[in-house]
Amino acid sequence: MTESAIFSGGPQGMPIPTPDPHFAYVLRHADDNLVAAQRYGEWISYGPELEEDIALGNIGLDHLGQARSLLAHAASLEGRGRTENDLAMMRDERDFTNLLLIEQPNGDFAHTMARALFFDAYQVGLWQALSDSTDATLAGIAAKALKEARYHLRHSSGWLVRLGDGTEESHERSQRAVDALWPYTSEPFQPDAVDLAAAEAGLGPDPSSLESEWRSRVSAVLGEATLDVPTDPYRRHGGRSGFHSEHLGHLLTELQWVARRYPGLKW
Amino acid sequence: MVSRLERARQALTSVVDPEIPALSIEDMGILRATTETATGVKVTITPTYSGCPAMGQIESDIRSALATADVGEVEIETVYSPAWTTDWMNEEARRKLEASGIAPPTSNPRCPRCLATEPRTVSEFGSTACKALLVCSACGEPFHYFKEI
Ligand SMILES: [Zn+2]
């Protein structure tokens, strides 16, 4: 792939306010998990079978827990009185820095599993690296999340293999999902200023160092699933700097409306 | 005269994991430390699975248990490092788990009913974040298994 074949998803040259990089770094990983949790939550009561419905709910809950730990940590790093809840419920779309990949709609079950495979394979490498973070709290959260992510990856890999190497219909749908989501799979590995500052400070890895392992993990699963690894060089970026696809706004509306309509509401 | 710290520790032995009431938070390894502060006590806890929804309930149960123990101000701190692992569950916890019908964490789970090994995995995601759903290959009974992490 040539550099010129890489397109960015967002408008260029707009000044973005730069918060403390440590805060921003923890927050972006919190956002990934919060958005992931919301997407899995959408499956509740729609799962293809009861056990799967429960599994998707559980995986969503893991991501929600990871998001909450990270948001609470980010809030304390920021030290401006915003809470975990404020960060989740009172920021707007433009302030979210999650990956475009994870905000993409669920689609059919194959689509959700393909997205999960790409995301889980990324997270296993990420959490592993973050377990050695110089930020002890982040390292602790990552060490636990790593073990959870391995369960998630086993789940998504297993499904994609069964679907890809299943019926003609399930094969075709899986390949369609893999092709549709492929453009979002280079963003996780593109470092920006926040990532580089974090790598410099020993907070986390340079994301580009995670790509080759991701590729071999994902290729192995796709191979076993008899699915083709896409060769389309088209790439979408922008989530990490707050330039999102049209889907995030809708997701946040559903996530945030109660907290905004009834500020301070308690059970 | 029993010290404030001893009263707190005694009171905390009654706080159980709301999802596995057979086990106290001490058995589970959720309760990391109880220390004395200038005006009361500080209780340090750590979450099990990231998504464990019981943490909020546990905090409120800790406050209730300490409310009647005359320990002064109660501060609860949640720590993430080092990360909780099933290795911290003591032998007593494992015994109680199995007695309550949940296979304890191990690389080689066995049926809590007939003790046969090599069960079949139905789903690695069960009724709570920490459990998988297995079926015994010998007696056919489905059971929960506390996943190793
Ligand atoms: Zn049995």
Side-chain angles (χ1 to χ4, degrees):
Chain A
M1 175 199 334
T2 62
E3 194 61 29
S4 63
I6 299 177
F7 298 88
S8 169
Q12 298 300 300
M14 282 175 62
I16 303 161
T18 44
D20 164 43
H22 191 169
F23 165 75
Y25 187 69
V26 173
L27 190 62
R28 62 179 45 188
H29 298 304
D31 286 348
D32 279 354
N33 288 291
L34 184 61
V35 171
Q38 186 69 9
R39 283 292 184 226
Y40 281 111
E42 290 169 13
W43 270 105
I44 306 281
S45 84
Y46 292 100
E49 55 185 19
L50 182 61
E51 286 78 7
E52 194 47 36
D53 204 80
I54 293 169
L56 294 169
N58 258 294
I59 293 168
L61 199 57
D62 283 345
H63 287 298
L64 184 63
Q66 292 154 4
R68 290 191 58 183
S69 308
L70 291 167
L71 286 170
H73 184 41
S76 82
L77 285 171
E78 188 186 40
R80 282 181 16 207
R82 284 205 284 184
T83 64
E84 161 196 339
N85 245 333
D86 296 333
L87 290 174
M89 299 301 173
M90 296 304 176
R91 281 181 306 140
D92 291 339
E93 184 187 351
R94 188 66 179 76
D95 304 320
F96 272 75
T97 51
N98 59 279
L99 296 168
L100 297 178
L101 171 68
I102 199 61
E103 75 196 32
Q104 298 310 303
N106 286 339
D108 59 17
F109 186 67
H111 202 89
T112 295
M113 286 304 109
R115 191 189 61 205
L117 169 68
F118 295 160
F119 186 61
D120 298 342
Y122 159 66
Q123 284 208 313
V124 165
L126 175 75
W127 294 131
Q128 191 140 35
L130 288 178
S131 304
D132 297 322
S133 176
T134 50
D135 173 342
T137 299
L138 182 56
I141 295 168
K144 189 192 304 295
L146 171 61
K147 299 176 188 176
E148 294 161 355
R150 287 194 179 125
Y151 280 104
H152 303 167
L153 180 60
R154 204 149 60 216
H155 176 259
S156 54
S157 305
W159 269 115
L160 214 63
V161 168
R162 266 174 286 170
L163 294 169
D165 193 16
T167 65
E168 201 176 312
E169 170 85 7
S170 70
H171 176 86
E172 194 217 317
R173 286 193 186 210
S174 308
Q175 186 66 59
R176 210 185 301 153
V178 166
D179 293 347
L181 291 163
W182 195 252
Y184 303 100
T185 56
S186 88
E187 188 186 20
F189 312 107
Q190 297 289 318
D192 66 2
V194 169
D195 288 316
L196 294 176
E200 181 73 34
L203 292 174
D206 177 334
S208 60
S209 69
L210 305 174
E211 186 162 17
S212 67
E213 204 182 329
W214 179 88
R215 227 173 205 290
S216 58
R217 266 199 194 103
V218 165
S219 304
V221 175
L222 294 182
E224 201 186 333
T226 70
L227 295 167
D228 296 328
V229 178
T231 50
D232 184 356
Y234 180 60
R235 289 291 188 243
R236 300 280 306 185
H237 299 155
R240 287 287 189 238
S241 39
F243 296 112
H244 292 279
S245 61
E246 67 271 33
H247 308 294
L248 184 67
H250 295 279
L251 180 146
L252 291 179
T253 306
E254 190 157 313
L255 175 73
Q256 296 177 332
W257 80 268
V258 174
R260 291 184 178 225
R261 175 63 184 81
Y262 306 99
L265 182 73
K266 288 210 172 13
W267 286 108
Chain B
M1 181 64 192
V2 182
S3 78
R4 179 197 284 168
L5 192 58
E6 285 166 49
R7 282 197 303 278
R9 287 189 173 148
Q10 183 54 40
L12 287 171
T13 58
S14 71
V15 180
V16 298
D17 182 328
E19 286 183 342
I20 313 171
L23 300 186
S24 73
I25 56 171
E26 193 173 350
D27 292 333
M28 287 289 292
I30 292 172
L31 179 62
R32 301 312 297 157
T34 313
T35 53
E36 201 158 358
T37 62
T39 53
V41 292
K42 178 167 141 182
V43 181
T44 307
I45 54 176
T46 193
T48 53
Y49 272 73
S50 302
C52 180
M55 289 311 285
Q57 186 63 43
I58 289 172
E59 271 199 52
S60 111
D61 290 349
I62 289 173
R63 291 195 187 277
S64 310
L66 294 178
T68 52
D70 183 28
V71 295
E73 263 176 59
V74 175
E75 183 192 338
I76 299 176
E77 187 192 22
T78 303
V79 295
Y80 296 98
S81 176
W84 184 87
T85 150
T86 37
D87 297 345
W88 293 356
M89 292 172 78
N90 58 33
E91 273 314 308
E92 177 71 359
R94 288 160 197 269
R95 203 188 50 73
K96 286 185 195 164
L97 260 187
E98 191 167 48
S100 70
I102 301 169
T106 156
S107 51
N108 185 23
R110 62 179 192 183
C111 170
R113 220 173 117 90
C114 75
L115 308 185
T117 53
E118 292 170 21
R120 181 170 64 83
T121 301
V122 176
S123 175
E124 287 196 309
F125 302 91
S127 61
T128 65
C130 55
K131 292 181 217 134
L133 190 58
L134 311 185
V135 170
C136 178
S137 333
C139 75
E141 184 78 3
F143 63 93
H144 273 127
Y145 161 58
F146 199 112
K147 293 190 276 187
E148 253 188 329
I149 66 163

